[in-house]
Amino acid sequence: KQEVTQIPAALSVPEGENLVLNCSFTDSAIYNLQWFRQDPGKGLTSLLLIQSSQREQTSGRLNASLDKSSGRSTLYIAASQPGDSATYLCAVRPIISGANNLFFGTGTRLTVIP
Amino acid sequence: DTGVSQDPRHKITKRGQNVTFRCDPISEHNRLYWYRQTLGQGPEFLTYFQNEAQLEKSRLLSDRFSAERPKGSFSTLEIQRTEQGDSAMYLCASSPFQGSLNTEAFFGQGTRLTVV
């Protein structure tokens, strides 16, 4: 069974710092990997989708990389802002017959201090 | 397009009561998913529809849970005889069909269920 791990579980940084969130997965047979943001008590907002054939995707201050062979992805946030405070979740869609779902990590709770 | 819509946003119910949640996916998305998320955990898959067909159910979906998508548009998730362990955020997601499973999933705001 695919397992997804996110380290660290929580991270606190001062405003303006660049930071990296880590995601690892046990089975490299995936269609894609998706990064989400979740504010307290809210649903998930999709940030970036990386296809299995891609190495990275960028959106504004966010850059996500994927190393499928080693089962790792990173989310880089440049020049962090207090509004970036949220929980960040990564999820993979495995290539398994009959598997039509995403496997999620437990998230990294980010706090950006003004 | 207003995204995935879920109703209600919050539900408090007494143990033993039945509850029903609704999800309206992004229009023209023929794939619809239900997930459950407990505090401090990532979402866990419950069930998946392609159009009106329920193609996959997780072992998490006990006999007390039933989901429908009668016309391939909105979906409902019903929990019968609720238990305190059912307290969680129930999330709905949809994605388009583009010939493969390699598509982006879009989530709603969730329904938070509290069983007292």
Side-chain angles (χ1 to χ4, degrees):
Chain A
K1 179 187 173 184
Q2 177 74 261
E3 292 185 3
V4 182
T5 304
Q6 291 188 247
I7 295 173
L11 181 64
S12 185
V13 300
E15 181 177 2
E17 269 203 9
N18 303 325
L19 59 101
V20 175
L21 307 180
N22 296 293
C23 172
S24 61
F25 47 96
T26 54
D27 189 341
S28 62
I30 61 170
Y31 282 111
N32 57 50
L33 183 145
Q34 205 166 345
W35 281 94
F36 295 89
R37 168 187 173 134
Q38 186 173 33
D39 293 293
K42 305 291 187 182
L44 277 63
T45 300
S46 179
L47 297 174
L48 290 164
L49 172 75
I50 310 178
Q51 309 288 3
S52 62
S53 58
Q54 297 176 321
R55 298 285 283 184
E56 65 178 288
Q57 281 285 340
T58 299
S59 176
R61 294 182 295 108
L62 305 180
N63 177 277
S65 69
L66 174 64
D67 184 343
K68 196 175 66 167
S69 61
S70 67
R72 294 180 183 178
S73 176
T74 60
L75 180 66
Y76 174 84
I77 302 177
S80 59
Q81 303 171 357
D84 295 331
S85 298
T87 295
Y88 290 81
L89 294 155
C90 71
V92 298
R93 188 182 295 280
I95 301 173
I96 303 174
S97 176
N100 294 288
N101 55 290
L102 293 169
F103 286 82
F104 283 85
T106 53
T108 294
R109 189 174 69 252
L110 173 66
T111 303
V112 181
I113 304 166
Chain B
D1 188 350
T2 57
V4 179
S5 177
Q6 292 189 245
D7 184 71
R9 294 291 309 280
H10 304 275
K11 178 71 177 179
I12 300 175
T13 190
K14 292 184 178 179
R15 190 175 53 188
Q17 297 293 305
N18 299 341
V19 294
T20 300
F21 310 141
R22 177 179 170 125
C23 171
D24 288 89
I26 294 172
S27 59
E28 298 180 357
H29 279 193
N30 68 340
R31 292 177 172 158
L32 185 146
Y33 310 80
W34 285 98
Y35 288 80
R36 180 172 71 185
Q37 185 180 28
T38 54
L39 203 61
Q41 301 298 312
E44 294 177 293
F45 170 74
L46 292 178
T47 191
Y48 159 70
F49 289 85
Q50 183 164 311
N51 299 312
E52 67 276 8
Q54 188 175 19
L55 297 184
E56 191 173 347
K57 292 194 290 186
S58 161
R59 279 177 282 185
L60 291 176
L61 212 66
S62 76
D63 291 345
R64 296 184 297 105
F65 288 68
S66 63
E68 295 182 342
R69 193 181 183 197
K71 296 183 179 180
S73 57
F74 73 92
S75 175
T76 58
L77 178 68
E78 180 183 16
I79 308 174
Q80 296 182 329
R81 305 181 302 281
T82 52
E83 302 173 355
Q84 287 188 319
D86 297 331
S87 295
M89 174 78 87
Y90 290 83
L91 294 160
C92 177
S94 71
S95 63
F97 178 77
Q98 294 175 346
S100 77
L101 290 170
N102 196 6
T103 56
E104 186 172 5
F106 296 88
F107 281 75
Q109 290 297 297
T111 294
R112 177 162 297 284
L113 172 66
T114 302
V115 181
V116 298

